[in-house]
């Protein structure tokens, strides 16, 4: 199998899906119309509710949803072979992820951009609303810790990467201020992108100065700095840092993967992995469980992801200018993210399997596999870094992409530049999601605890914003500081896909209320049936075999308790939803819904 065949076939499938299924969802199922103002116009406040250009919003939304999942997930799942990951990415994105993102975004906008917990309360009742809010708080905190963990391993003792990532903050704020004052999007975009590139290529010179010592940070220090940064990103107005940074980074993200696609077409690397490896039945050094259900748990954001529900009911619905923008922003961004996941899978499976397992396994574990590395010693020498045992997926992607790019004769001597650029690219990819995720956490905390203290519900109340932002950063920062990639990422996978199930449950409820035909609810119920069974079995497997198994390396009672609580909340929400669906199906006014209730 060669990479070009996979890329061409995948892009064709996704383009056809967008043109046909995306149009069907927009026109028939959701009945999108611009006859009424969006929440961004109706509640415009210049801070959270801000009508925004469609492509700026697309850039923000794509940057926010496309975090570690489409980068790290497919790489970790390569342990099973190239075929399981490829099939799940394509099927999951089209049937599940794109539908999930569009309906959640629509459901939130119908309720003036409220969080999914508030939507659940109004659509399913107070019990489901409470359970959804509690589940969302658990899940978003775990998600932020899981995403941040990948950044730690990418920037640890890496001053070049730390500088390149850090410089994006003042650049984004400058772009936000300039655009806010002048409205000149093209000028702001051009200047911002040029400055980003200057920041990247200044990295080697920074390493030779005293600044490098200040930027050489260990994992524990970074675990403190990241939550502090996220606090300011969540508390500042959306136009000042979050939106411009996401918008600028989306150019980098899309540009890098367009370049990778071009590199694949030029080099046409052979996929070195088999369709299925010997670890498809379980017992692998990267993922302990079998290919099912863990392929759908490990690969989240590239196929379907509950984290998208936080963005789709958090920042994005407060920015959309027209209702019809939901198709390109909700449905389209998910399919673009799927391409990102496929390219990450190619970058991993183009490596020799022994090289892949040497990077993603602890040295002692790798020695038990009976494999012998092929290109890794030479790659380590060219990059100037020992690559063995750098688990977590981020380094594997950087190595795989560097391996492909340096096969082009003109770039053969640029391995360290490509490696550090991809590390920076990954970190920016993830930090933009942390920005949005922490802001969404703030909204959730304000909604949830606002039931006890009413002023907290007001998004324009500064003390409430500061309190909620600080509490969110403290909670996920604690998990980040005390955890490791193996414990946090597995918990993230199960909780994330449970959140996607909840999003589909609420989406199906909304569709039953507004669609012309009840059968349209199957667009949500079919992926829900698969995902709900998958996530519950995976959660049970992890609790029994890992979290509450004293003999397992991932033994962690807290993770086990959190998993059990989340799965119970999911059951309560589903039972409540089924009762509501039966009421709706028996109601004579089933088809009398409108765009805005």
């Amino acid at each position: 199998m060669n990479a070009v065949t996979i890329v061409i076939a995948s892009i064709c499938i996704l383009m056809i899906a967008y043109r046909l299924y995306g149009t069907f969802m927009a026109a028939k199922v959701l009945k999108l119309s611009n006859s009424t103002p969006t929440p961004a116009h109706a509640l415009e406040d210049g801070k959270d509710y801000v009508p925004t250009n469609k492509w700026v919003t697309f850039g923000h939304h794509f940057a926010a949803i496309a975090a570690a999942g489409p980068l790290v997930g497919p790489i970790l799942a390569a342990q099973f072979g190239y075929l399981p990951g490829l099939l799940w990415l394509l099927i999951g994105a089209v049937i599940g992820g794109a539908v999930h993102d569009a309906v959640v975004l629509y459901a939130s906008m119908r309720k003036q951009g409220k969080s999914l917990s508030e939507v659940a309360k109004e659509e399913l009742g107070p019990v489901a609303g409470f359970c959804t809010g509690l589940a969302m708080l658990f899940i978003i905190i775990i998600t932020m810790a899981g995403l941040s963990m990948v950044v730690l391993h990418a920037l640890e003792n890496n001053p070049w990467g730390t500088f390149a990532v850090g410089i994006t903050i003042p650049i984004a704020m400058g772009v936000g201020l300039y655009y806010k004052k002048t409205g000149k999007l093209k000028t702001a975009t051009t200047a911002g992108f040029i400055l980003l590139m200057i920041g990247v290529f200044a990295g080697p010179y920074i390493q030779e100065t005293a600044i490098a010592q200040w930027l050489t940070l260990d994992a524990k220090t970074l675990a403190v700095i990241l939550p502090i940064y996220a606090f300011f990103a969540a508390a500042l107005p959306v136009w000042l840092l979050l939106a411009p940074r996401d918008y600028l980074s989306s150019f980098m993200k899309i540009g890098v993967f367009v370049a990778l696609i071009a590199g694949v077409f030029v080099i046409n690397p052979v996929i070195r992995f088999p369709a299925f490896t010997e670890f498809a039945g379980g017992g692998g050094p990267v993922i302990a469980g079998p290919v099912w259900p863990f392929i759908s748990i490990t690969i989240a954001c590239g196929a379907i992801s509950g984290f998208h529900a936080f963005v789709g009911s958090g920042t994005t619905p407060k920015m959309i200018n027209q209702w019809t923008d939901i198709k390109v922003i909700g449905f389209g961004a998910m399919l673009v993210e799927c391409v990102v996941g496929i390219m990450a899978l190619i970058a991993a499976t183009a490596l020799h399997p022994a090289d892949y397992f040497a990077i993603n396994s602890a040295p002692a574990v790798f020695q038990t596999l009976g494999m012998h590395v092929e290109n890794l010693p030479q790659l380590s020498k060219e990059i100037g870094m020992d690559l063995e045992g750098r688990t977590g997926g981020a380094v594997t992607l950087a190595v795989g992409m560097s391996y492909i790019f340096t096969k082009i004769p003109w770039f053969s001597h640029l391995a360290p530049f490509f490696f550090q650029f991809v590390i920076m690219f990954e970190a920016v990819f993830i930090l933009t999601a942390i920005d949005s995720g922490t802001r969404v956490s703030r909204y959730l905390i304000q909604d949830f605890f606002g039931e006890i203290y009413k002023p907290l519900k007001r998004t324009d109340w500064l003390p409430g914003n500061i309190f909620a932002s600080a509490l969110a950063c403290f909670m996920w920062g604690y998990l980040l500081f005390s955890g490791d990639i193996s414990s946090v990422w597995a918990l993230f996978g199960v909780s994330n896909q449970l959140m996607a199930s909840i999003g589909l449950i609420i989406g199906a409820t909304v569709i039953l209320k507004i669609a012309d035909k009840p059968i349209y609810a199957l667009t949500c119920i079919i992926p829900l049936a698969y995902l709900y069974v998958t996530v519950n079995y995976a959660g049970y497997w992890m609790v029994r075999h890992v979290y509450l198994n004293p003999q397992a390396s991932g033994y962690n009672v807290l993770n086990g308790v959190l998993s059990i609580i989340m799965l119970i909340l999911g059951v309560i929400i589903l039972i409540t939803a089924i009762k509501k669906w039966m009421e709706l199906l028996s109601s004579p006014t089933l088809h009398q819904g409108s765009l805005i209730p």
Side-chain angles (χ1 to χ4, degrees):
M1 177 64 73
N2 58 63
V4 168
T5 302
I6 293 176
V7 172
I8 292 176
S10 299
I11 291 177
C12 287
I13 290 170
L14 295 173
M15 290 177 67
I16 293 170
Y18 178 78
R19 179 67 181 86
L20 299 180
Y21 198 36
T23 301
F24 169 74
M25 287 294 303
K28 296 293 186 180
V29 179
L30 301 180
K31 299 187 294 185
L32 299 181
S33 168
N34 294 325
S35 60
T36 56
T38 64
H41 286 282
L43 302 174
E44 184 175 359
D45 60 7
K47 187 175 185 294
D48 292 312
Y49 290 86
V50 182
T52 308
N53 176 280
K54 176 171 69 176
W55 297 111
V56 174
T57 308
F58 177 92
H60 155 73
H61 185 76
F62 174 73
I65 65 172
L71 298 177
V72 176
I75 288 170
L76 299 180
Q79 171 193 272
F80 300 123
Y82 75 82
L83 190 57
L86 180 62
L87 290 176
W88 169 239
L89 282 165
L90 290 172
I91 297 171
V94 173
I95 304 299
V99 171
H100 169 275
D101 290 11
V103 298
V104 166
L105 186 54
Y106 175 78
S108 177
M109 290 176 65
R110 287 180 77 243
K111 301 299 181 182
Q112 302 301 313
K114 292 180 180 178
S115 70
L116 207 60
S117 63
E118 291 293 299
V119 175
K121 184 186 299 180
E122 295 188 27
E123 298 289 357
L124 298 174
V127 173
F130 174 82
C131 291
T132 300
L134 190 58
M136 290 177 74
L137 275 175
F138 276 125
I139 293 166
I140 193 66
I141 297 304
I142 293 166
T143 298
M144 291 299 96
L147 297 179
S148 302
M149 189 66 68
V150 180
V151 176
L152 294 191
H153 292 281
L155 298 183
E156 184 179 4
N157 298 318
N158 184 1
W160 183 349
T162 302
F163 172 78
V165 172
I167 201 68
T168 63
I169 299 172
I171 291 173
M173 295 179 72
V175 168
L177 288 167
Y178 180 82
Y179 178 58
K180 181 75 171 178
K181 184 176 181 180
T182 66
K184 297 179 180 179
L185 181 60
K186 291 184 179 179
T187 304
T189 301
T190 303
F193 188 72
I194 291 173
L195 289 172
L196 281 179
M197 292 302 99
I198 292 174
V200 171
F201 288 102
Y205 304 100
I206 293 297
Q207 291 192 123
E208 305 301 325
T209 69
I211 297 176
Q213 297 179 4
W214 304 339
L215 299 177
T216 303
L217 306 173
D218 60 23
K220 293 298 184 183
T221 303
L222 287 167
V224 174
I225 291 174
L226 284 174
I228 293 173
Y229 156 75
F231 166 79
F232 289 102
L236 289 172
V238 68
W239 58 265
L240 180 59
L241 176 58
L242 187 143
R245 179 174 174 170
D246 290 358
Y247 174 65
L248 287 174
S249 65
S250 68
F251 280 95
M252 184 186 301
K253 295 170 184 179
I254 295 174
V256 166
F257 278 95
V258 167
L260 180 57
I261 291 171
V264 166
F265 274 89
V266 172
I267 303 301
N268 192 16
V270 174
I271 301 300
R272 307 290 294 274
F273 273 59
F276 293 90
T277 69
E278 61 188 284
F279 303 115
V286 182
I287 302 166
V291 65
W292 186 85
F294 284 93
I295 192 68
S296 300
I297 300 302
T298 306
I299 300 179
C301 295
I304 180 171
S305 168
F307 177 71
H308 297 191
F310 293 100
V311 181
S313 66
T315 53
T316 303
K318 299 176 177 65
M319 299 168 62
I320 288 184
N321 188 45
Q322 294 184 328
W323 288 92
T324 51
D325 292 350
I326 289 176
K327 178 184 174 183
V328 66
I329 295 168
F331 202 93
M334 178 66 244
L335 299 186
V336 175
E337 187 183 13
C338 178
V339 176
V340 173
I342 290 169
M343 298 312 299
L345 181 66
I346 288 173
T349 54
L351 295 173
H352 190 278
D355 294 344
Y356 165 87
F357 284 109
I359 297 172
N360 285 283
S361 308
V365 174
F366 178 71
Q367 290 178 3
T368 66
L369 301 179
M371 298 180 177
H372 301 283
V373 294
E374 184 170 305
N375 300 313
L376 197 60
Q378 180 63 26
L379 287 169
S380 296
K381 182 178 179 181
E382 292 175 357
I383 291 170
M385 182 183 297
D386 183 13
L387 300 174
E388 292 189 19
R390 290 184 174 266
T391 59
V395 170
T396 304
L397 178 62
V399 171
M401 292 180 70
S402 300
Y403 176 74
I404 291 173
F405 284 136
T406 53
K407 290 295 181 181
I408 301 173
W410 294 346
F411 301 148
S412 59
H413 61 292
L414 297 178
F417 284 88
F418 282 124
F419 180 85
Q420 292 291 357
F421 180 82
V422 174
I423 288 293
M424 182 276 299
F425 154 76
E426 291 180 277
V428 171
F429 225 114
I430 296 164
L431 285 175
T432 51
I434 293 173
D435 294 351
S436 296
T438 304
R439 184 175 286 264
V440 172
S441 301
R442 189 197 97 196
Y443 297 150
L444 286 171
I445 289 171
Q446 288 182 274
D447 281 341
F448 195 75
F449 291 104
E451 297 296 327
I452 301 172
Y453 186 63
K454 296 297 182 183
L456 270 177
K457 278 187 175 288
R458 290 170 39 204
T459 58
D460 61 345
W461 188 47
L462 184 60
N465 293 349
I466 293 174
F467 166 76
S469 299
L471 181 59
C473 293
F474 173 78
M475 288 191 294
W476 69 255
Y478 174 78
L479 283 178
L480 176 66
F481 189 83
S482 60
D484 58 67
I485 189 66
S486 60
S487 63
V488 173
W489 190 266
L491 187 60
F492 159 69
V494 172
S495 63
N496 185 60
Q497 300 303 57
L498 177 62
M499 188 66 242
S501 300
I502 295 172
L504 288 170
I505 288 171
I506 295 171
T509 307
V510 171
I511 290 173
L512 280 175
K513 285 189 173 183
I514 60 99
D516 293 328
K517 299 178 181 180
I519 197 172
Y520 288 164
L522 289 177
T523 56
C524 288
I525 292 174
I526 289 174
L528 169 63
Y530 169 80
L531 196 62
Y532 191 79
V533 171
T534 299
V535 74
N536 276 275
Y537 180 71
Y540 162 78
W541 196 97
M542 289 298 297
V543 169
R544 179 180 178 183
H545 295 282
V546 180
Y547 295 146
L548 300 185
N549 178 9
Q551 307 303 318
S553 59
Y555 174 68
N556 189 309
V557 175
L558 175 61
N559 286 357
V561 171
L562 289 175
S563 297
I564 292 170
I565 292 173
M566 288 187 296
L567 293 177
I568 292 173
L569 291 172
V571 171
I572 296 172
I573 295 167
L574 181 62
I575 292 173
T576 305
I578 291 174
K579 291 180 179 179
K580 184 68 174 181
W581 296 346
M582 293 174 67
E583 291 177 12
L584 289 172
L585 288 171
S586 62
S587 172
T589 60
L590 175 62
H591 309 308
Q592 295 179 10
S594 60
L595 180 66
I596 302 298

